[in-house]
Amino acid sequence: MNRIFAILLTIIAALCANAASARVTIDITQGNVDPMPIAAPDFLGVDDSTTSLGRDITSVLMNDLERSGLFQVIDQRAYIEKPEGVNVRPRFADWRIINAQVLIVGDVVELPDGRMQVSTRIWDVYSDEQVGAVAFKTPADNWRRAAHKVADFVYKTLTGEAGYFDTRVVFVHETGPKEKRVKRLMIMDQDGANPVPLTDGLNYQVLTPRFSPTQQQITYMALFDNRPGQVFLFNIETGEQEQLGTFRGMTFAPRFSPDGRQVIMSMERNGNSDVFKMDLATRRLTRLTDHPAIDVSPTMSPDGRRFAFASDRGGSQQIYTMTADGSDQRRITFGEGRYQTPVWSPRGDLIAFTRQYKGRFYIGVIRPDGTGERLLTESYLDEGPTWSPNGRVLMYYRQTPTRRDGTGGNSALWSVDLTGRNQRRVRTPADASDPAWSPLLP
Amino acid sequence: MTNFIKIAGVFVSLVLLSACTTGGNVGVDPNAGIDTTQTAGPVGAIPGSQQDLEENAGHRVFFAYNQYTLTPQAQSTLARQAAWLQEYPEARILLSGNCDERGTREYNLALGARRAEAARSYLASLGVDRARITTVSYGKERPIDPRSTEEAWSLNRNSTTTIKSVGS
């Protein structure tokens, strides 16, 4: 495990930064239209092992780009030119014929210290220009991260925004019958590779894990038998777990503040739930709401000035925002049905939510001022959105109904972009729920 | 031949075992393995036990969708529980609040706490010392009936009473 965290990748050079003026770009703010056709021949190697690594890296890279919905990777069998090297100028005409707009060429070289270097150039096929180049050094067994780093570089070069491929997802791994479900904490790469269990699931069920935006730390709720569930902290690097204080009532629905120094959560006392925040250094608890209605699922804005939460103070559950000290309450949702699980985008521009309406569940987004509501997904049960660190993609879980004969009732992770058109299943080893996206790895 | 008998013997006991498991009682019957046909007379619940509570008062009260107010039926069940608790003044109970799957996880945790507290307050209003009652919410995480039907959901919206300890 440790190996993953000792950060292995170093950007050694932008091989030849080229600030072209009329360069090819994708405007991802426009609710994407057509994916950009892109060609990515296998990264070149000098011997069997680097050639094989090159092929593997290209496959992970293409999968990342394709799944983003912004790119359409052209089938390799259509390629006319076989690139001769990462430093050789391509024959652009050969790529224009197959309608590629962008060409990615890379190679893998073994370094004297045993590590490998992955070099990549991005070419604009229509202006015959290089639009970006980068190289990473990494141990060979870390090739997946190198591939994700290349994908992030391509994404950033062509969209102007940071990518989200070199990230991980914590989630709840579910096994056993619904009445006696075993729920363990698990972590994997954003694309479903390298799943690793973090808790054994023996003493309690893990619910609603959330990633710290600044550290390799998770907060979640542990649901025990016969005593109220409590919020925990989990250090991914050391595996240490710690209950976040001892409370008579249940503590739940935790989430980190944007600076990672506080946990904002709900605490129940004599049946009523209000919102509190806890300073992690001092363990001082501050009350933020004081209302006889249910106040749950708090989430802070990235600038730390306001928080949003769900409350039934107006009758049905709706989303409200308040300043960080609990003043200036504003209701932001007014639609029919119930609005729950608000999650503030890391970009600050949107709040994602779960909406229940006429027996169906939806994942949607709305601006923090309450305008521009859009529903992105719909099913029997979609719940618990989490943002990619660049605020462009949501992951959530979907549960199917359990039939009368007891079959069905499966939970799986899904992702959707902000157009709502690019919905994809995220592979997990078994049933899964409650995903939480990590920040970009350092 | 002896081998055949052994195999046949194993086969017979396998058949017997599977017959027992489909009967559904082996896993939970504390008397499993005892020859119950020899027991004479009726066997009732031990006074003051969970089984006694379930048979003579009822250990579950049910709620309407997204509600935590007690129905008249729930109130009468809780009234029987209160009377039962007066009879066994040493008994301490746990009330667990549960929800159907038609709500989000976090909201249902809060709603389950409401349901358990509604039952607790009603028992207290009938004279049961609040200190004898602890509450817990399981939200939608512990359904009795896993199916996605109206019938299952109405069963899963409940507050369940469990005896934690009975004084000697």
Side-chain angles (χ1 to χ4, degrees):
Chain A
M1 276 300 280
N2 257 342
R3 165 158 219 85
I4 303 173
F5 305 104
I7 293 318
L8 315 159
L9 293 164
T10 34
I11 300 181
I12 56 163
L15 295 178
C16 166
N18 185 345
S21 51
R23 53 192 265 172
V24 57
T25 54
I26 297 177
D27 186 352
I28 54 178
T29 62
Q30 291 305 306
N32 178 44
V33 272
D34 294 316
M36 174 186 280
I38 191 164
D42 285 344
F43 280 30
L44 301 160
V46 287
D47 52 25
D48 282 356
S49 78
T50 49
T51 302
S52 159
L53 270 174
R55 200 178 306 123
D56 291 343
I57 286 169
T58 311
S59 150
V60 168
L61 166 68
M62 288 197 295
N63 183 53
D64 279 350
L65 296 176
E66 185 92 42
R67 286 180 66 87
S68 75
L70 299 176
F71 305 95
Q72 179 234 323
V73 181
I74 299 167
D75 190 330
Q76 290 187 335
R77 285 171 296 187
Y79 301 173
I80 299 161
E81 185 190 27
K82 187 179 180 337
E84 286 165 41
V86 74
N87 295 322
V88 180
R89 207 173 158 78
R91 285 197 310 270
F92 293 105
D94 284 359
W95 299 100
R96 279 194 289 268
I97 287 175
I98 61 164
N99 292 320
Q101 244 179 295
V102 165
L103 169 65
I104 300 169
V105 180
D107 72 3
V108 182
V109 180
E110 195 180 339
L111 299 169
D113 63 5
R115 292 188 299 164
M116 59 165 192
Q117 178 173 318
V118 182
S119 306
T120 310
R121 287 184 193 275
I122 306 171
W123 298 96
D124 179 345
V125 172
Y126 282 86
S127 66
D128 300 2
E129 276 178 342
Q130 176 181 301
V131 289
V134 73
F136 300 101
K137 284 179 184 172
T138 175
D141 62 358
N142 202 36
W143 62 270
R144 276 192 161 269
R145 279 203 61 195
H148 293 313
K149 287 269 187 199
V150 172
D152 281 329
F153 179 77
V154 171
Y155 187 99
K156 180 156 196 185
T157 302
L158 297 176
T159 69
E161 295 198 7
Y164 55 87
F165 303 116
D166 188 26
T167 55
R168 294 186 295 166
V169 173
V170 291
F171 62 99
V172 174
H173 173 79
E174 299 194 9
T175 50
K178 243 169 146 185
E179 310 91 294
K180 212 172 161 45
R181 202 78 155 152
V182 178
K183 296 192 168 195
R184 318 163 66 175
L185 189 63
M186 219 173 201
I187 190 165
M188 65 182 184
D189 296 349
Q190 145 279 135
D191 61 353
N194 300 319
V196 178
L198 297 176
T199 63
D200 58 21
L202 295 178
N203 299 317
Y204 53 82
Q205 291 178 314
V206 170
L207 305 179
T208 64
R210 272 87 201 236
F211 238 105
S212 163
T214 56
Q215 293 174 69
Q216 290 298 321
Q217 202 175 33
I218 297 163
T219 182
Y220 62 85
M221 185 215 196
L223 189 67
F224 300 100
D225 284 327
N226 304 329
R227 65 186 168 103
Q230 297 292 332
V231 169
F232 273 63
L233 288 176
F234 186 97
N235 184 315
I236 304 174
E237 288 176 22
T238 64
E240 276 170 55
Q241 313 182 42
E242 173 192 5
Q243 189 172 320
L244 194 59
T246 309
F247 306 100
R248 212 177 65 190
M250 169 174 65
T251 51
F252 62 113
R255 212 175 268 284
F256 286 98
S257 62
D259 62 8
R261 292 191 188 145
Q262 296 174 326
V263 166
I264 187 167
M265 61 186 178
S266 284
M267 181 159 75
E268 170 266 335
R269 196 69 188 270
N270 296 327
N272 186 44
S273 299
D274 281 315
V275 174
F276 291 76
K277 72 178 172 194
M278 177 178 270
D279 184 85
L280 291 177
T282 63
R283 295 296 157 100
R284 208 167 63 91
L285 194 67
T286 311
R287 175 187 281 275
L288 294 177
T289 69
D290 191 355
H291 198 283
I294 288 174
D295 294 343
V296 286
S297 310
T299 172
M300 286 177 85
S301 64
D303 64 10
R305 289 194 185 154
R306 295 185 78 84
F307 68 97
F309 63 103
S311 176
D312 57 6
R313 56 185 61 196
S316 72
Q317 292 119 62
Q318 299 287 339
I319 296 171
Y320 295 78
T321 72
M322 282 189 182
T323 58
D325 61 10
S327 63
D328 188 26
Q329 169 193 307
R330 289 180 208 170
R331 178 171 163 181
I332 66 163
T333 56
F334 292 89
E336 288 180 79
R338 301 155 65 182
Y339 290 80
Q340 299 165 73
T341 74
V343 194
W344 217 304
S345 157
R347 299 168 57 88
D349 58 343
L350 293 169
I351 292 172
F353 56 79
T354 304
R355 181 176 174 189
Q356 259 180 277
Y357 177 56
K358 289 194 172 167
R360 304 287 287 173
F361 280 65
Y362 305 79
I363 303 294
V365 292
I366 193 168
R367 289 195 205 97
D369 66 2
T371 62
E373 176 182 343
R374 286 192 297 127
L375 300 178
L376 305 175
T377 77
E378 175 196 351
S379 87
Y380 170 74
L381 206 176
D382 282 354
E383 180 183 344
T386 179
W387 288 96
S388 64
N390 71 351
R392 294 300 185 190
V393 181
L394 290 162
M395 203 178 284
Y396 56 98
Y397 86 90
R398 171 168 292 175
Q399 187 183 313
T400 58
T402 306
R403 296 182 204 94
R404 286 181 180 277
D405 65 3
T407 60
N410 297 106
S411 295
L413 304 190
W414 287 75
S415 69
V416 63
D417 67 6
L418 289 179
T419 69
R421 266 175 263 165
N422 184 34
Q423 283 183 51
R424 305 209 179 216
R425 173 103 182 242
V426 181
R427 86 185 140 113
T428 51
D431 273 20
S433 60
D434 294 5
W437 217 314
S438 83
L440 270 180
L441 292 169
Chain B
M1 189 57 195
T2 42
N3 271 346
F4 173 73
I5 290 170
K6 267 188 202 157
I7 291 166
V10 169
F11 182 67
V12 167
S13 45
L14 276 177
V15 169
L16 287 175
L17 260 181
S18 56
C20 290
T21 31
T22 48
N25 281 324
V26 168
V28 287
D29 184 357
N31 295 320
I34 297 171
D35 187 358
T36 48
T37 55
Q38 298 296 311
T39 310
V43 180
I46 300 161
S49 69
Q50 178 72 24
Q51 193 189 350
D52 184 22
L53 175 77
E54 291 181 19
E55 285 174 5
N56 296 308
H59 71 307
R60 280 204 178 100
V61 298
F62 300 97
F63 296 84
Y65 175 65
N66 201 20
Q67 298 294 317
Y68 56 89
T69 48
L70 296 167
T71 62
Q73 204 181 352
Q75 291 181 356
S76 64
T77 303
L78 290 168
R80 288 197 302 276
Q81 286 188 16
W84 189 92
L85 286 164
Q86 308 292 13
E87 220 176 303
Y88 301 100
E90 302 297 314
R92 291 173 172 274
I93 57 168
L94 175 76
L95 299 175
S96 55
N98 294 283
C99 303
D100 64 30
E101 65 188 11
R102 306 312 285 155
T104 60
R105 209 182 294 296
E106 292 181 345
Y107 178 77
N108 278 352
L109 285 166
L111 182 60
R114 276 277 159 89
R115 287 177 175 164
E117 182 60 29
R120 183 195 203 187
S121 294
Y122 195 72
L123 288 173
S125 76
L126 297 175
V128 181
D129 184 355
R130 284 180 76 92
R132 294 171 67 190
I133 311 169
T134 50
T135 58
V136 64
S137 172
Y138 294 137
K140 62 174 172 179
E141 313 306 323
R142 308 284 167 90
I144 309 169
D145 186 335
R147 296 170 305 154
S148 300
T149 62
E150 291 289 350
E151 184 195 357
W153 297 333
S154 57
L155 278 174
N156 294 336
R157 296 189 294 260
N158 66 71
S159 170
T160 300
T161 304
T162 317
I163 312 288
K164 280 179 81 180
S165 64
V166 187
S168 49

